[in-house]
């Protein structure tokens, strides 16, 4: 990536805690884990993952499908050794 690059990720973001209103999202996560060996993540889990990869989370937008578009850029502070 260059300093001007933008990475867009379209994912289902699971809520930080389970409630009655969002239990179906966690059931979907369980199915993905059991069938595909994958997992859904919370926004804070994505941010931690981005930071480890030298990326910076900029913003997110929820779309009609229920998924979220995450906007990520290169963390130039990390590149310059300021962190």
């Amino acid at each position: 990536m260059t300093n001007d690059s933008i990475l867009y990720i379209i994912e289902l973001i699971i809520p930080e805690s389970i409630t009655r209103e969002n239990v179906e999202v966690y059931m979907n996560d369980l199915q993905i884990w059991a069938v595909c060996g994958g997992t859904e993540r919370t926004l804070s889990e994505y941010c931690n993952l981005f930071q480890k990869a030298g990326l910076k989370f900029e913003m997110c937008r929820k779309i009609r499908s229920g998924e979220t578009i995450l906007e990520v850029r290169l963390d130039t502070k990390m590149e310059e050794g300021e962190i």
Side-chain angles (χ1 to χ4, degrees):
M1 290 179 75
T2 67
N3 290 342
D4 297 328
S5 298
I6 302 172
L7 174 63
Y8 293 103
I9 300 168
I10 302 173
E11 280 290 338
L12 179 65
I13 306 295
I14 60 173
E16 297 291 335
S17 61
I18 301 173
T19 64
R20 236 173 232 230
E21 291 77 29
N22 64 28
V23 74
E24 74 282 346
V25 175
Y26 284 90
M27 294 307 292
N28 185 51
D29 181 45
L30 179 62
Q31 181 179 3
I32 288 173
W33 175 78
V35 175
C36 305
T39 186
E40 303 286 357
R41 292 180 172 91
T42 64
L43 185 56
S44 60
E45 289 172 326
Y46 271 108
C47 289
N48 288 333
L49 186 63
F50 297 149
Q51 184 180 24
K52 289 178 184 176
L55 302 172
K56 179 174 65 171
F57 170 72
E58 291 287 325
M59 61 182 287
C60 62
R61 289 193 186 120
K62 194 146 186 155
I63 54 178
R64 275 189 259 175
S65 66
E67 295 171 316
T68 301
I69 300 174
L70 302 170
E71 184 177 311
V72 181
R73 295 177 186 262
L74 191 61
D75 189 345
T76 55
K77 288 181 183 177
M78 183 172 237
E79 187 177 84
E80 298 166 2
E82 293 180 17
I83 293 181

